[in-house]
C-alpha cells in the first residue's frame, strides 16, 4: 500500500470518531441552579441539559456573560466569586473570590476584560478575561450597582450610597475615570441601549430615572420620567424590577413599573413616556422577543406563577401562561422562536413556542433562576 492510500484509509477510519467529538457553541446556554451552587449546560436544539457543573458558590443572585467565541461563561456569584466555565469541556477553568458580596458583572466590547460590581467592600474590580488576573480596582465610596459595558472598552456603573455614576475608560494604558454627580437618590440598577449610546439608571430613593448620553463629548446626567416610581399610590415592593430586563420593541423602550402593576412604554428617541399597560402583578422582567413584536413579562410574589405576553403595537395583553410557582427568569432563543422560562419551586425549565404560546418541552433543574444563551456574547449591555 502506498503512502497516499494509507493516508486516505487512516482518514476514513478516524473521521467519524473525530466528527462526533465536535460541538458548536451557537445553540448552547447555561441555567443557574441557585440553591445548589451549580449550573446546567443546555442545548437549545435538543431542548435538553447536556451537563451539570458544580462548585460555583453562592448563586442566589447570579448572572453571567459569555466570551466572544461563545466557549466560556463568566459567572458572577453573590459571595464575590468570579468563575470561568468552559462550555465544551464542561469544566471550571478559573475561579477567584474577589470580594465579600457581589452584584453582577460585564465583559468589555473586545472580550479582553471582565468587570465585577461589589456591594462589599464596594467598587468595581477588573480582570484579564484569559487568566482572571486582577488588573484594576476602582474604588467607589459605596455599593456599586448597574454595571454595564459600553463601546470603546468602557464600563459604566452607579453608586448607591453617593448617587454618582462612574464611566471607566480602559482603552489606554491606565484607566480614565469620569465621575458624574447628582444622578439621584440610591441608584439601584441600570441599562444601556442596544446602540451603546444611552445609560439609564433607576432610582430607589426617589421617583424618576436618570439618563446619560455616552456619545456626548462631555456626558451629563439628565432626569427623565419624573412619574416613574412610587407615585401617589405607592404599593409594597416584593421584588425590585430589573432594568436589565428592559425591552426594546421598534422605536419603543418597555420598562417594568416600580410599586405598580404596569409596564411603561417610552419613546427611545425622546425618552418620554407614551403609554402604560396594566399587568397581572408587579413586573420584574419585561423582555422583548427578538424582532420586537411581543414583550414577555414575569412578576413578583405573590403573582409570580404567571407570564403575560403584550403586543408591542397595540400595547394589549394577548396571552397569559401559568408555568408554575416562582417564575424567576425568561430567555428567548436567538431568533425568538422559543422562550425558556425558569420555575424555581417546581424545579424545572418550561419551553414555550412563541407563536402558539404552548409548552413544547421541559427540563429538570434544581431551583433554576437565570437562563443565559450564548447569543448574548454579541450584544451590548448584557
Amino acid at each position: 500500500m502506498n503512502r497516499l492510500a494509507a493516508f486516505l484509509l487512516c482518514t476514513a477510519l478516524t473521521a467519524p470518531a473525530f466528527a462526533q467529538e465536535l460541538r458548536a457553541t451557537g445553540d448552547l446556554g447555561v441555567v443557574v441552579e441557585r440553591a445548589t451552587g451549580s449550573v446546567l449546560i443546555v442545548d437549545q436544539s435538543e431542548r435538553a441539559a447536556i451537563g451539570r457543573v458544580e462548585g460555583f458558590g453562592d448563586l442566589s443572585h447570579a448572572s453571567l456573560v459569555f466570551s466572544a467565541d461563545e466557549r466560556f461563561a463568566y459567572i458572577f456569584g453573590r459571595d464575590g466569586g468570579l468563575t470561568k466555565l468552559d462550555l465544551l469541556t464542561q469544566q471550571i477553568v478559573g475561579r477567584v473570590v474577589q470580594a465579600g458580596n457581589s452584584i453582577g458583572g460585564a465583559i468589555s466590547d473586545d472580550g479582553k476584560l471582565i468587570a465585577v460590581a461589589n456591594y462589599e467592600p464596594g467598587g468595581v474590580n477588573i480582570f484579564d478575561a484569559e487568566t482572571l488576573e486582577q488588573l484594576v480596582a476602582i474604588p467607589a465610596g459605596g455599593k456599586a450597582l448597574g454595571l454595564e459595558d459600553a463601546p470603546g472598552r468602557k464600563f459604566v456603573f452607579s453608586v448607591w450610597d453617593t448617587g454618582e455614576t462612574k464611566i471607566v475608560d480602559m482603552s489606554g494604558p491606565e484607566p480614565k475615570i469620569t465621575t458624574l454627580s447628582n444622578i439621584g437618590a440610591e441608584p439601584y440598577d441600570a441599562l444601556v441601549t442596544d446602540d451603546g449610546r444611552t445609560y439609564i439608571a433607576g432610582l430607589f430613593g426617589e421617583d424618576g430615572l436618570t439618563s446619560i448620553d455616552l456619545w456626548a463629548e462631555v456626558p451629563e446626567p439628565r432626569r427623565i420620567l419624573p412619574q416613574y416610581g412610587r407615585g401617589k399610590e405607592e404599593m409594597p415592593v416584593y421584588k425590585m424590577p430589573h432594568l436589565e430586563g428592559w425591552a426594546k420593541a421598534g422605536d419603543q423602550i418597555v420598562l417594568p413599573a416600580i410599586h405598580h402593576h404596569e409596564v411603561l412604554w417610552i419613546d427611545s428617541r425622546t425618552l418620554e413616556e407614551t403609554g402604560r399597560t396594566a399587568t397581572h402583578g408587579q413586573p420584574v422582567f419585561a423582555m422583548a422577543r427578538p424582532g420586537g413584536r411581543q414583550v414577555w413579562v414575569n412578576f413578583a410574589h405573590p403573582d409570580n406563577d404567571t407570564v403575560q405576553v403584550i403586543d408591542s403595537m397595540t400595547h394589549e395583553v394577548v396571552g397569559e401562561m401559568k408555568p408554575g410557582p416562582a417564575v424567576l427568569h425568561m430567555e428567548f432563543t436567538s431568533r425568538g422562536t422559543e422562550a425558556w422560562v425558569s420555575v424555581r419551586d417546581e424545579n424545572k425549565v418550561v419551553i414555550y413556542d412563541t407563536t402558539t404560546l404552548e409548552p413544547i418541552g421541559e427540563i429538570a433543574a434544581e431551583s433554576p433562576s437565570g437562563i443565559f444563551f450564548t447569543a448574548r456574547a454579541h450584544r451590548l449591555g448584557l
Side-chain angles (χ1 to χ4, degrees):
M1 183 182 295
N2 60 36
R3 291 182 179 179
L4 177 59
F7 172 78
L8 293 175
L9 177 61
C10 180
T11 301
L13 291 173
T14 59
F18 178 73
Q20 289 176 359
E21 296 175 2
L22 294 178
R23 177 182 286 278
T25 57
D27 65 349
L28 297 184
V30 175
V31 176
V32 173
E33 296 184 310
R34 58 182 289 152
T36 53
S38 56
V39 303
L40 293 180
I41 300 175
V42 296
D43 186 304
Q44 299 166 49
S45 299
E46 297 178 10
R47 298 184 186 132
I50 59 173
R52 172 179 278 113
V53 185
E54 300 177 338
F56 294 92
D58 183 354
L59 297 182
S60 60
H61 196 285
S63 62
L64 63 88
V65 295
F66 293 101
S67 60
D69 63 4
E70 303 177 346
R71 177 167 181 173
F72 299 101
Y74 299 88
I75 299 169
F76 310 105
R78 193 59 184 262
D79 58 0
L82 165 61
T83 310
K84 184 176 181 180
L85 169 66
D86 188 326
L87 300 181
L88 295 183
T89 65
Q90 300 185 10
Q91 294 179 332
I92 292 173
V93 294
R95 176 170 166 82
V96 294
V97 178
Q98 52 82 52
N101 190 337
S102 298
I103 196 67
I107 187 168
S108 59
D109 58 357
D110 64 357
K112 304 292 186 183
L113 303 172
I114 303 294
V116 188
N118 296 311
Y119 271 4
E120 171 117 3
V124 168
N125 293 331
I126 299 177
F127 299 83
D128 181 286
E130 179 67 26
T131 65
L132 297 191
E133 174 189 359
Q134 184 169 338
L135 304 177
V136 179
I138 309 293
K143 300 180 180 69
L145 308 96
L147 174 62
E148 303 286 348
D149 58 284
R153 224 177 189 225
K154 295 177 182 178
F155 297 105
V156 189
F157 69 95
S158 296
V159 186
W160 169 276
D161 311 71
T162 64
E164 297 174 329
T165 292
K166 295 180 182 288
I167 303 172
V168 183
D169 186 341
M170 294 293 294
S171 61
E174 297 292 333
K176 179 182 177 182
I177 303 172
T178 301
T179 300
L180 304 179
S181 302
N182 301 316
I183 297 301
E186 298 174 345
Y188 75 94
D189 200 5
L191 64 88
V192 167
T193 53
D194 55 2
D195 58 6
R197 178 168 186 171
T198 306
Y199 177 90
I200 299 177
L203 306 175
F204 184 75
E206 60 182 290
D207 287 354
L209 301 167
T210 300
S211 71
I212 299 169
D213 185 348
L214 300 177
W215 292 5
E217 190 69 27
V218 180
E220 296 285 348
R222 171 192 166 199
R223 297 300 294 273
I224 61 173
L225 304 180
Q227 73 279 20
Y228 181 81
R230 294 169 174 80
K232 295 181 179 179
E233 299 180 6
E234 180 178 342
M235 300 174 64
V237 175
Y238 296 101
K239 182 173 176 59
M240 288 300 294
H242 284 260
L243 292 188
E244 283 193 339
W246 69 288
K248 185 152 187 286
D251 58 1
Q252 304 173 98
I253 293 174
V254 190
L255 295 175
I258 302 176
H259 298 268
H260 298 285
H261 295 186
E262 297 174 321
V263 297
L264 279 65
W265 300 83
I266 314 300
D267 186 303
S268 63
R269 298 157 297 186
T270 65
L271 299 181
E272 295 179 353
E273 182 180 332
T274 59
R276 298 190 178 206
T277 300
T279 58
H280 171 74
Q282 290 183 11
V284 177
F285 287 99
M287 306 181 72
R289 173 184 172 185
R293 183 57 193 273
Q294 295 175 345
V295 174
W296 289 45
V297 186
N298 74 321
F299 304 99
H301 176 83
D303 302 311
N304 59 0
D305 64 341
T306 301
V307 173
Q308 287 186 315
V309 180
I310 303 173
D311 186 296
S312 63
M313 293 183 66
T314 66
H315 296 183
E316 295 180 353
V317 175
V318 295
E320 182 173 294
M321 294 85 78
K322 299 280 188 181
V327 171
L328 296 190
H329 197 230
M330 304 167 290
E331 182 83 331
F332 293 98
T333 51
S334 59
R335 298 203 177 191
T337 56
E338 298 177 4
W340 292 37
V341 178
S342 63
V343 186
R344 184 194 63 198
D345 290 357
E346 288 189 351
N347 297 311
K348 65 183 181 180
V349 173
V350 182
I351 304 169
Y352 286 91
D353 182 301
T354 54
T355 299
T356 66
L357 307 185
E358 293 294 329
I360 55 175
E362 190 173 299
I363 297 172
E366 294 291 331
S367 298
S369 54
I371 305 171
F372 305 88
F373 292 152
T374 53
R376 287 172 170 254
H378 313 295
R379 294 161 58 192
L380 284 167
L382 293 177

